[in-house]
């Protein structure tokens, strides 16, 4: 499986977001954009990462939108218009995942489904042949900079066993060490915020993440 690196914009200083995106553009497979409504998670980014703001980021790297919101379908259209290639919703927020997956794919975007740490991987079984990717949260969603939950690793392996060709992303506490554990477990998409941006030389760390592609 190809390894993808997806820096999370949440860890950037708000007023430096555009310049960092410009600097990194083309050197990451995608930008990871955390949209939070202060209901599903105790944090709010709907203004910071509003669809008009995301639309202004004209990038070669793809834009992945991770919806940590109730009623995610409210946002598919606007983030499609903002140029998202992948929209990820949370299993815990919807009644019928199949309808959500179809709604996202009908826009021509890829559809991803995410599970929180306490949600078992088995809930995804019936959707694995419908979705374009799954995202395993390796921290409780809401904030960057939390420690990696290694008890999530078996979930990655369980999903990989059932879906050999599916993109499996990990999000939360991913640094160069935990990234390797996730790759070994079967993940292939690495979302990383603080491990890249909370460093003296983010570009060097991004380079090291990109090196993981040649393992
Ligand atoms: C957390 C977000 C993550 C966050 C990851 O709820 O979904 O994308 O930005 O940040 P780090 O890599 O610092 O844990
Ligand atoms: Zn995220």
């Amino acid at each position: 499986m190809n390894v993808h690196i997806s820096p999370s914009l949440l860890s950037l200083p708000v007023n430096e977001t555009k310049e960092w995106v410009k600097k990194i553009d083309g050197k990451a497979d995608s930008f990871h954009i955390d949209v939070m409504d202060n209901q599903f998670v105790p944090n709010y980014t709907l203004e910071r990462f509003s669809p008009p703001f995301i639309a202004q980021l004209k990038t070669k790297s793809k834009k992945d939108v991770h919806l940590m919101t109730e009623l995610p379908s409210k946002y598919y259209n606007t983030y499609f218009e903002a140029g998202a290639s992948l929209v990820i919703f949370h299993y815990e927020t919807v009644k019928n995942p199949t309808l959500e997956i179809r709604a996202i794919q009908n826009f021509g975007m890829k559809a991803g489904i995410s599970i929180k740490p306490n949600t078992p991987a088995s809930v995804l079984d019936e959707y694995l042949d419908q979705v374009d990717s799954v995202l395993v949260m390796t921290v409780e969603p809401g904030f960057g900079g939390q420690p990696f939950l290694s008890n999530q690793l078996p979930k990655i392996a369980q999903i990989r066993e059932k879906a050999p060709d599916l993109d499996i992303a990990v999000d939360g506490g991913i640094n160069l060490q935990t990234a390797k554990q996730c790759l070994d477990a079967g993940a292939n998409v690495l979302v990383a915020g603080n491990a890249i941006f909370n460093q003296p030389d983010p570009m060097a760390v991004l380079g090291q993440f990109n090196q993981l592609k040649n393992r």
Side-chain angles (χ1 to χ4, degrees):
M1 289 290 301
N2 281 336
V3 172
H4 286 218
I5 309 298
S6 190
S8 177
L9 303 189
L10 187 66
S11 301
L12 283 168
V14 176
N15 58 350
E16 293 175 21
T17 305
K18 281 188 185 170
E19 62 183 88
W20 276 106
V21 165
K22 232 184 217 168
K23 223 166 152 178
I24 288 172
D25 194 22
K27 298 185 179 74
D29 297 284
S30 62
F31 290 106
H32 183 88
I33 298 156
D34 287 312
V35 175
M36 313 199 216
D37 65 351
N38 204 22
Q39 292 185 53
F40 178 59
V41 290
N43 195 355
Y44 188 81
T45 60
L46 268 163
E47 274 165 33
R48 177 177 178 191
F49 296 137
S50 69
F53 178 79
I54 298 306
Q56 283 172 31
L57 308 174
K58 310 264 184 239
T59 57
K60 295 194 280 284
S61 300
K62 292 177 177 163
K63 295 187 270 190
D64 299 343
V65 171
H66 178 192
L67 292 174
M68 281 164 276
T69 67
E70 301 292 345
L71 291 174
S73 60
K74 283 203 293 197
Y75 306 102
Y76 301 157
N77 182 32
T78 46
Y79 283 103
F80 167 68
E81 286 174 354
S85 342
L86 164 68
V87 168
I88 301 157
F89 67 90
H90 266 267
Y91 171 83
E92 299 86 0
T93 62
V94 303
K95 288 204 182 94
N96 185 337
T98 299
L99 292 182
E100 309 293 326
I101 293 164
R102 286 198 195 129
I104 295 168
Q105 289 171 340
N106 279 340
F107 283 103
M109 299 185 289
K110 288 190 170 179
I113 186 167
S114 180
I115 49 173
K116 297 207 287 184
N118 288 333
T119 304
S122 57
V123 302
L124 300 178
D125 287 358
E126 56 188 296
Y127 310 108
L128 293 178
D129 58 356
Q130 302 171 14
V131 281
D132 300 291
S133 74
V134 304
L135 182 148
V136 175
M137 286 302 308
T138 43
V139 299
E140 281 300 329
F143 300 92
Q146 304 180 74
F148 177 75
L149 298 173
S150 57
N151 60 1
Q152 300 302 300
L153 288 166
K155 282 161 67 171
I156 300 166
Q158 279 170 39
I159 300 166
R160 177 56 76 213
E161 201 175 87
K162 291 172 190 154
D165 302 321
L166 190 63
D167 277 335
I168 301 178
V170 283
D171 184 9
I174 302 301
N175 55 37
L176 290 162
Q177 284 73 42
T178 57
K180 284 181 195 151
Q181 297 172 31
C182 292
L183 294 176
D184 288 343
N188 71 306
V189 180
L190 303 169
V191 177
N194 270 263
I196 295 176
F197 295 117
N198 224 336
Q199 301 294 332
D201 189 352
M203 297 309 287
V205 183
L206 178 61
Q208 288 172 308
F209 268 98
N210 276 320
Q211 287 293 321
L212 294 173
K213 295 180 179 202
N214 310 321
R215 280 201 330 155

